Amino acid sequence: MAACALRRGLLSTVSKYNKKHAHRILSVVDSNCVFEVNRLPLQCRACGLAGGVQTRRFMSSRNRPEGKILETVGVFEAVKQHGKYETGQLFLHSVFGYRGIVLFPWHARLYDRDITPPISDSKREPPGAHGSKEVKGKTHTYYQVLIDTRDCPHISQRSQTEAVTFLANHDDSRALYAIPGLDYVSHEDILPYNSTEQAPIQHELFERFLMYNPAKTPPFIARDTLKAWQEKNHPWLELSDVHRETTENIRVTVIPFYMGMREAQNSHVYWWRYCIRLENMGNEVVQLRERHWRIFSLSGTLETVRGRGVVGREPVLSKEQPAFQYSSHVSLQAPSGHMWGTFRIERTDGSHFDVRIPPFSLESNKDDKAPPAGYTF
């Protein structure tokens, strides 16, 4: 798996879980090292594409396993501590290990419950949600990116690589479609690199969205089709609020997205998708066992949802694989609402504890634009 191999080879000291070593390791990599991929004849069940990669860092040819062909794919660059990455920036994901390329940035408001805010510039939470604590929001940069389809088979710590879903434009109000390999990545998850290849990322949208220009840095610039697609789909792609909270070294991050409204049985149904990441910030191995949701609608209803695991899985969070990410959907018969809840986590000794899911708002867009009927160019 790309995430595992990358973390063993490099991110054991470079990743955000050990930031104090990052500058030293990256400076060595910048001047002397390249990262290489081991191509394997695998097929992605999710996206049906042949091929795959297992990412490693090799200091010399003596480390190459016999019978495997290694290919240099690029050279690491220094991580940006200030400013943002530009369209066309190649990167490795520091948590999930896949290769990707930046399409454009989003500026979100991060509401971190782990930080005690002043009274001003805070966001009040719904009644009954973990004590109705007010949380200060700060601006944080995320990126819309394309995932290299060759890495899809190896992203095991995610329920899917389709982070963006849309409502289908026909009579079935519950029908959804996804754009494979389109993701949202936080600034601190970017490990930038450069490559001499003119098409270093394999994705069906790569050549439609980006153009090679060796005179630019990075050498990939946005085509008009990317700019038009971003403008057309802005209401359904935009990332505005991010919510984060840590309980006993388990950090939960939630990003909600409004998807649009559909009419069903003479009523309006409003849809949202939400992306959740769980991260084990400690050394103890734990496993997610249950979920407990509370969903409040502006219409006055309060729904409780309990169940085993999430999206059919009960992920283990360890030091080697500290994160798990998934996306799901919720619909309300009202234009707004709130969600909050807990995850039941089990330790290796059989004991349990509850991890809080930070409360987040479900808000519909103020405009009356219809959700897109598909992605066209």
Side-chain angles (χ1 to χ4, degrees), residues 81 137 157 177 214 216 264 317 337:
Q81 303 295 335
Q157 288 300 89
Y177 71 88
K216 300 290 185 179
L317 304 178

Side-chain angles (χ1 to χ4, degrees), residues 39-44 47-53 149-154 202:
R39 299 192 178 279
L40 304 174
L42 299 178
Q43 185 172 4
C44 177
C47 53
L49 296 172
V53 296
T149 54
R150 295 168 293 184
D151 295 345
C152 289
H154 308 289
Q202 290 189 13

Side-chain angles (χ1 to χ4, degrees), residues 162-175:
E162 295 83 5
V164 181
T165 50
F166 294 95
L167 292 177
N169 191 17
H170 52 70
D171 293 337
D172 185 355
S173 65
R174 298 179 62 85

Side-chain angles (χ1 to χ4, degrees), residues 169-237:
N169 191 17
H170 52 70
D171 293 337
D172 185 355
S173 65
R174 298 179 62 85
L176 304 172
Y177 71 88
I179 301 179
L182 189 65
D183 200 6
Y184 294 87
V185 179
S186 178
H187 184 87
E188 66 265 24
D189 288 339
I190 297 283
L191 290 177
Y193 73 91
N194 60 66
S195 171
T196 57
E197 295 184 52
Q198 294 189 21
I201 300 296
Q202 290 189 13
H203 190 286
E204 63 175 329
L205 299 179
F206 178 80
E207 292 187 350
R208 294 188 181 189
F209 281 170
L210 299 164
M211 178 189 307
Y212 181 70
N213 185 339
K216 300 290 185 179
T217 303
F220 304 98
I221 60 175
R223 293 182 183 269
D224 291 340
T225 48
L226 174 58
K227 298 174 184 177
W229 182 79
Q230 179 185 5
E231 182 178 357
K232 176 182 177 181
N233 296 286
H234 185 277
W236 325 111
L237 292 170

Side-chain angles (χ1 to χ4, degrees), residues 1-9 55 95-96 154 156 320-321:
M1 291 177 292
C4 297
L6 180 62
R7 192 172 291 109
R8 287 196 300 268
T55 309
V95 176
F96 300 114
H154 308 289
S156 64
E320 291 72 28
Q321 291 190 322

Side-chain angles (χ1 to χ4, degrees), residues 102-150:
V102 170
L103 296 181
F104 46 81
W106 293 112
H107 298 294
R109 295 294 292 173
L110 172 62
Y111 297 94
D112 194 338
R113 292 179 59 88
D114 301 330
I115 300 175
T116 302
I119 296 176
S120 60
D121 194 22
S122 299
K123 188 170 185 177
R124 183 172 292 279
E125 297 175 349
H130 309 329
S132 298
K133 175 182 177 181
E134 289 192 352
V135 183
K136 180 181 180 180
K138 64 177 182 178
T139 302
H140 194 75
T141 303
Y142 276 73
Y143 300 93
Q144 197 87 67
V145 308
L146 293 180
I147 301 174
D148 194 310
T149 54
R150 295 168 293 184

